[in-house]
Amino acid sequence: MDSIVVTGGSELRGEIPIAGAKNACLTLMPATILSEEPLTLTNAPRLSDIKTMTQLLESLGAEAASMQEGQVLTLSSHNLDNHVADYDIVRKMRASNLVLGPMLARLGHAVVSLPGGCAIGARPMDLHIFGLEKLGAEIELKDGYLHAKAPRGLKGAEIELAFASVGATENILMASTLAKGTTVIRNAAREPEIVDLADCLRKMGAQIEGDGTSEIVIQGVDRLHGATHPVVTDRIELGTYMLAPAIAGGEVECLGGRISLVESFCEKLDAAGIHVEETAKGLKVARRNGRVSAVDVTTEPFPGFPTDLQAQMMAMLCTAEGTSTLHETIFENRFMHAPELTRMGANIEVHGGTATVHGVKKLKGAPVMATDLRASVSLILAGLAAEGETVVSRVYHLDRGYEKVVRKLSSIGAKVERVKE
């Protein structure tokens, strides 16, 4: 098992290219099931989760080919011959449940294992099931699998989600494109990944309006065709690398970044004393002067502060001047990085869904353990500002969401290396 060794104390300067969004690509890939014609995705990130989704689609009978070192991915579902998404694949990744809606819409039946992923909360399938049942699906849970069928086909419906779930919105949106009649999704998620999915589906012939707002209207069509679509920039990777110079000092330009992708995050950086400037190439980030200031953060669905940047933000606030409070409202059990940061000298108190961070002047390098994807990169970021050497173990989580993290950080002057244990 690999570890990442970080030696703190170096200011960071240069450019970092930001990859295509993992969460967007994992949503776009199952859209191939909706058509017999090929779907080609460009700007695809090269991550283990993308490989897992490819394996899942291939297990259903889809064909996949990658070009340009994996940045171009072509998928074809002209000959689907299996309707069972097996536990052995699905358990590795939460996004595997996104094959459910497309399979119901195209095949009329699906058997999908309950999903896995990072251990950051239950993240139930209730809203997915609720929405698909509104469309006419019959779904039963047996032996850890969702057995779904639509014996009379899917039909448009008005669906109001109790929570603006990204995954449920995506599953219902894809299923609705081939349903008979009009579907209205109210309290829909508004994330850029939803807009990116809708853009791709429109290229495939879907009729969709309102994506990016809380009400999406879909007029079902008889069939969808193939398309080529670029994956949107990864706003979570973008925010992560924006925090690197905020934590370690220096100035870094994140290529491909846009403020519109991370606006609420940028507002918090500004309040903390971090300057963010939009350029022709991306976003340029630097501390204004000296130590950053404490800020309070509450995670919310988009356009609020992203839960997937909470751990990284905590790493920065560990050395801020003053006391910060972070409220996690999306996932329970998402402060598992706090005890590891405390091992590095941070002063953090956790009570339920709230973490209070009393800023210290310096962190100190220590052996720490990654507990999930975002926690792993938060510990690396903390190591950039720590005195001495930080060894982050169990970094296999990292490969699920960040491509070439050591190369990217090293290119801007960080002292980071990956070693075999």
Side-chain angles (χ1 to χ4, degrees):
M1 198 177 296
D2 292 1
S3 296
I4 287 183
V5 180
V6 186
T7 305
S10 300
E11 282 201 348
L12 308 179
R13 298 193 180 276
E15 299 177 341
I16 287 187
I18 305 301
K22 178 192 83 144
N23 289 342
C25 194
L26 290 174
T27 304
L28 293 165
M29 291 173 71
T32 184
I33 296 171
L34 294 166
S35 174
E36 294 184 0
E37 298 179 16
L39 172 64
T40 297
L41 302 174
T42 62
N43 196 37
R46 293 160 289 187
L47 302 168
S48 62
D49 272 10
I50 304 303
K51 292 179 182 176
T52 300
M53 181 62 82
T54 301
Q55 290 170 2
L56 176 59
L57 292 171
E58 288 178 332
S59 76
L60 301 174
E63 296 176 4
S66 63
M67 295 163 281
Q68 295 182 22
E69 296 184 344
Q71 287 189 297
V72 176
L73 190 61
T74 297
L75 304 160
S76 178
S77 297
H78 65 278
N79 188 31
L80 295 178
D81 56 8
N82 177 28
H83 66 277
V84 179
D86 193 76
Y87 169 76
D88 284 341
I89 301 177
V90 175
R91 67 181 173 83
K92 300 176 185 177
M93 185 181 63
R94 177 73 188 174
S96 301
N97 62 26
L98 293 175
V99 301
L100 179 59
M103 288 172 70
L104 268 174
R106 167 96 177 272
L107 304 177
H109 55 274
V111 178
V112 179
S113 170
L114 291 177
C118 287
I120 56 172
R123 300 195 283 185
M125 290 287 292
D126 297 10
L127 292 178
H128 300 247
I129 295 168
F130 167 77
L132 294 171
E133 286 182 337
K134 282 279 190 179
L135 294 174
E138 298 174 5
I139 303 176
E140 182 182 6
L141 175 60
K142 291 191 298 187
D143 301 323
Y145 283 79
L146 294 172
H147 293 251
K149 59 183 179 179
R152 291 171 292 281
L154 297 180
K155 294 182 180 179
E158 296 195 2
I159 302 166
E160 182 151 0
L161 297 175
F163 173 77
S165 162
V166 176
T169 301
E170 291 165 341
N171 238 333
I172 298 164
L173 175 58
M174 285 190 280
S176 300
T177 60
L178 295 179
K180 291 187 177 2
T182 302
T183 298
V184 181
I185 308 173
R186 296 195 173 92
N187 197 27
R190 297 185 279 167
E191 273 74 358
E193 293 82 7
I194 301 287
V195 176
D196 198 41
L197 173 61
D199 284 343
C200 179
L201 292 170
R202 277 190 288 266
K203 290 176 185 175
M204 296 171 70
Q207 296 184 19
I208 302 168
E209 295 179 352
D211 46 292
T213 76
S214 58
E215 184 170 299
I216 304 176
V217 180
I218 308 103
Q219 182 66 46
V221 297
D222 291 335
R223 63 181 297 274
L224 297 180
H225 51 72
T228 297
H229 179 78
V231 179
V232 70
T233 297
D234 192 327
R235 63 195 172 94
I236 305 304
E237 182 179 271
L238 171 62
T240 298
Y241 287 123
M242 288 171 70
L243 282 169
I247 288 172
E251 182 179 86
V252 171
E253 189 164 14
C254 297
L255 305 181
R258 304 195 309 273
I259 286 178
S260 61
L261 291 171
V262 284
E263 195 162 356
S264 62
F265 173 69
C266 288
E267 289 171 2
K268 292 299 180 183
L269 290 186
D270 181 64
I274 307 301
H275 177 69
V276 179
E277 177 188 351
E278 197 161 73
T279 70
K281 295 193 292 183
L283 296 179
K284 192 175 287 186
V285 184
R287 277 192 217 158
R288 286 202 184 90
N289 44 54
R291 200 169 161 193
V292 300
S293 301
V295 294
D296 293 338
V297 172
T298 299
T299 62
E300 297 174 314
F302 189 88
F305 192 97
T307 180
D308 279 350
L309 286 173
Q310 176 259 110
Q312 300 92 306
M313 191 72 173
M314 183 184 285
M316 183 188 81
L317 295 175
C318 286
T319 55
E321 192 165 8
T323 297
S324 306
T325 303
L326 295 97
H327 298 284
E328 176 56 61
T329 69
I330 308 298
F331 296 128
E332 74 274 24
N333 201 29
R334 203 167 198 182
F335 288 134
M336 291 187 290
H337 46 282
E340 300 304 304
L341 290 168
T342 301
R343 288 172 57 79
M344 300 176 68
N347 185 350
I348 304 168
E349 302 167 13
V350 176
H351 299 285
T354 301
T356 303
V357 182
H358 306 282
V360 298
K361 287 188 176 180
K362 275 285 183 184
L363 294 177
K364 295 184 179 179
V368 290
M369 183 175 67
T371 53
D372 61 71
L373 169 56
R374 306 306 172 186
S376 62
V377 81
S378 75
L379 297 172
I380 293 170
L381 290 174
L384 296 175
E387 290 180 341
E389 189 175 87
T390 299
V391 181
V392 185
S393 61
R394 293 181 65 185
V395 294
Y396 58 84
H397 293 288
L398 196 70
D399 300 328
R400 294 186 47 238
Y402 294 92
E403 64 170 45
K404 306 185 186 305
V405 63
V406 170
R407 181 189 298 181
K408 287 184 177 183
L409 286 172
S410 297
S411 73
I412 56 172
K415 294 179 181 177
V416 184
E417 63 176 327
R418 187 163 180 153
V419 297
K420 298 281 186 186
E421 288 187 353

